[in-house]
Amino acid sequence: MSTTTTTPLPYHLTPKDHLIENSPTSKLSQKIILNLLNTKCSTSLQHLKQAHDLILRTGHFQDHFIAGSLVKCYANPHFGTLDCSIKVFDQVLKPNVFVCNSVIKGCLENNEPCKAISFYYEMVVVNSRPNKYTYPTLFKACTAARAVEEAVQIHAHVVKHGLGGDGHIKSAGIQMYASFGRLTEALSMLNDEGEESDVVCWNAMIDGYMKCGDVEAAKELFDGMLKRNVGTWNVMITGFARCGMLEEARKVFDKMPEKDDISWSAIVDGYNKGGYFKEALEIFHEMQREKVRPRKYVLSSLLAACANVGALDQGRWIHTYMERNFIPIDAVLGTSLVDMYAKCGRLDLAWRVFEKMKQKEVFSWNAMIGGLAMHGCAEDALELFLKMQGEKIKPNDITFVGILNACAHAGLVDKGLKYLNSMEQVYGVEPTVEHYGCVVDLLGRAGLLTEAEELISSMPMQPNPAVWGALLGACRKHGNVVLGEKVGKILLKLEPQNSGRYALLSNIYAKARRWDDVASLRKSMKERGIKTTAGGSMIELDGTIHEFKIGDGSHPQAKEIYLMLKRVIEKLQMEGYSPNTSQVLFGIDEEEKETALGHHSEKLAIAFGLLNTMPGTTIRIVKNLRVCEDCHSATKLISRVYNREIIVRDRIRYHHFKDGTCSCKDFW
Ligand code: ZN
Ligand code: ZN
């Protein structure tokens, strides 16, 4: 920080402004400086440093309004200069409530909720009395830090200061208690203090019930409300959707008297999270029929729906719509576009949007890094990670999921381990079970099964099913039956209803030709009433999504598709392809197995693509499960024989098939 350097007078001040140097205490100059801090300095760190310099030289620093604004400006998360903000704060003599509030808020906005709380305690010690603006921020900080004890103590201070009736404090407090699952306290906040709670507080309480899964209590509160606003309806929609009650959510949505952007986006999000992507996209058409102009949040939710089904054409259409209607592409929308393009297999377009974005938040970087990782572009992902640090964006836990995934997909064992081990020390991000899962996956893919097993036993937390699942996948890949059986049994105990686990273990047995074990596994699945997840593949054609299930005969073109597929397989067989039946789940005879394999959903989707698109165009498929070995080798051949690029997104990664090879280098 260059606070004491003697830079020439800031160039952005007109000569008239220089007069303030001679009259440092005039009200006018305070006004000018504050104006400067609130405008130019909120977007440019350079201007801010110059203004800081000016403030020091003109003796305005101990003006609490100016000092507080300076603290606020440095705390702008875009600058990554929270440390400067805190240094400035420390230099203020007897900071008043405004200065203290600025630093507390700044810490929260920079994801340092614990620091925010400790500044509050410091504030209480130096005796500057908190006001009604202090507490909503603090409650949010307690929520973010999950600081239950501090929350209760701070709540007591609120009551002591006679601020319990303030609407903002109340609603923040209700949200906080609800996030801790302490509904009794939340409810007593809603009801106490004699003063009537406003709609916002009631909405917060409904939201709290919904988040804790108490749908009945939420409904009761909703029904009992005399005055509702659009936010009330929105929390009901979001709440029902979160609990998986989409029909109820839809009913509320249809009944509400007036909808805003949040309402539309809540219903789209609900469909997205429930896996009803077609329904989510249908909302877009509905909006057009009702002549509602989609705005920021719903556009972002719609882009997420496109990303989920790989609907590139519709996604591009929405992008064009945004450009034509001059909808500014801010960090949220830009990130949604990056994510959509990356997930639809167009990394080039994702890059283009990302580079054009003026405002990038940590989640924007995460989307781009995650996209690169999924596509196996590990080097690019790691390079972007360095660039992100160069721009002083602090990585978070999700950034590291992306980085570790990038390492896993590219087999960069040493780098992956290095990042896992340095996350906490260098970046202050504590590894979670998810990060360990990524590294187990990394070691497992590289064939280092013993090391993976050792890592699991050294984890500071209980391994979750995803961690064991990663190891089981590795056992399948490398044909380790002994370890696979051990891990498989642990998983079946942890998740007796997850059909995917049975399938994986069964594959391991089948590969070892242990048909008796395959059969007994199948029997126990039947006894427990577990149904397998049907493999499904989607392909977009002219803005419509076509979905195929294994052995699906429901498509209007089914006959042509099966005929096409038959011809494709024959052609592949002339090229030396023979179906790899070792992975078929059940011990059925070879011929039947071949038919089952031959009709896997991605093969049907590819046949459909070959039938309906121009020669030479890229075929894009989205699959809900992992690609099986047989489909993988068949698709490689198809890409060569038919001279097509085929991009398949499976449950966890992308495969770019071209000229008979795949970008995953047969490592998935
Ligand atoms: Zn397959
Ligand atoms: Zn592949």
Short mmCIF file of all heavy atoms in Angstrom, two decimals, residues 597 600 602-603 623 628 631, ligand 1:
data_model
loop_
_atom_site.label_atom_id
_atom_site.label_comp_id
_atom_site.label_asym_id
_atom_site.label_seq_id
_atom_site.Cartn_x
_atom_site.Cartn_y
_atom_site.Cartn_z
N LEU A 597 -26.00 -54.76 -24.91
CA LEU A 597 -24.95 -53.77 -25.10
C LEU A 597 -25.22 -52.90 -26.31
O LEU A 597 -25.06 -51.69 -26.28
CB LEU A 597 -23.62 -54.47 -25.39
CG LEU A 597 -22.69 -54.81 -24.27
CD1 LEU A 597 -21.49 -55.52 -24.88
CD2 LEU A 597 -22.26 -53.57 -23.55
N HIS A 600 -27.50 -49.89 -25.80
CA HIS A 600 -27.25 -48.87 -24.77
C HIS A 600 -27.69 -47.51 -25.29
O HIS A 600 -27.57 -47.21 -26.48
CB HIS A 600 -25.76 -48.83 -24.42
CG HIS A 600 -25.40 -49.79 -23.33
ND1 HIS A 600 -24.16 -49.88 -22.78
CD2 HIS A 600 -26.17 -50.70 -22.68
CE1 HIS A 600 -24.15 -50.81 -21.85
NE2 HIS A 600 -25.35 -51.33 -21.78
N GLU A 602 -26.59 -44.51 -25.32
CA GLU A 602 -25.76 -43.58 -26.11
C GLU A 602 -25.61 -44.06 -27.55
O GLU A 602 -25.47 -43.25 -28.45
CB GLU A 602 -24.41 -43.31 -25.45
CG GLU A 602 -23.54 -44.51 -25.19
CD GLU A 602 -23.73 -45.03 -23.78
OE1 GLU A 602 -24.89 -45.35 -23.44
OE2 GLU A 602 -22.75 -45.11 -23.03
N LYS A 603 -25.65 -45.41 -27.73
CA LYS A 603 -25.56 -45.91 -29.10
C LYS A 603 -26.80 -45.50 -29.88
O LYS A 603 -26.72 -45.10 -31.04
CB LYS A 603 -25.40 -47.43 -29.10
CG LYS A 603 -24.05 -47.90 -28.56
CD LYS A 603 -23.67 -49.25 -29.16
CE LYS A 603 -22.39 -49.81 -28.53
NZ LYS A 603 -22.65 -50.49 -27.25
N LYS A 623 -25.12 -38.05 -21.14
CA LYS A 623 -25.54 -39.32 -20.56
C LYS A 623 -25.63 -39.22 -19.04
O LYS A 623 -24.85 -38.50 -18.43
CB LYS A 623 -24.51 -40.40 -20.95
CG LYS A 623 -24.96 -41.72 -20.49
CD LYS A 623 -24.29 -42.92 -21.05
CE LYS A 623 -25.15 -44.08 -20.59
NZ LYS A 623 -24.41 -45.21 -20.17
N CYS A 628 -19.95 -46.95 -20.66
CA CYS A 628 -19.35 -48.26 -20.44
C CYS A 628 -18.20 -48.47 -21.42
O CYS A 628 -18.08 -47.77 -22.41
CB CYS A 628 -20.39 -49.38 -20.55
SG CYS A 628 -20.78 -49.86 -22.23
N CYS A 631 -19.31 -49.09 -25.13
CA CYS A 631 -19.77 -47.90 -25.86
C CYS A 631 -18.59 -46.99 -26.15
O CYS A 631 -18.52 -46.36 -27.20
CB CYS A 631 -20.81 -47.14 -25.05
SG CYS A 631 -22.39 -47.99 -25.01
ZN ZN B 1 -22.62 -48.76 -23.08
#
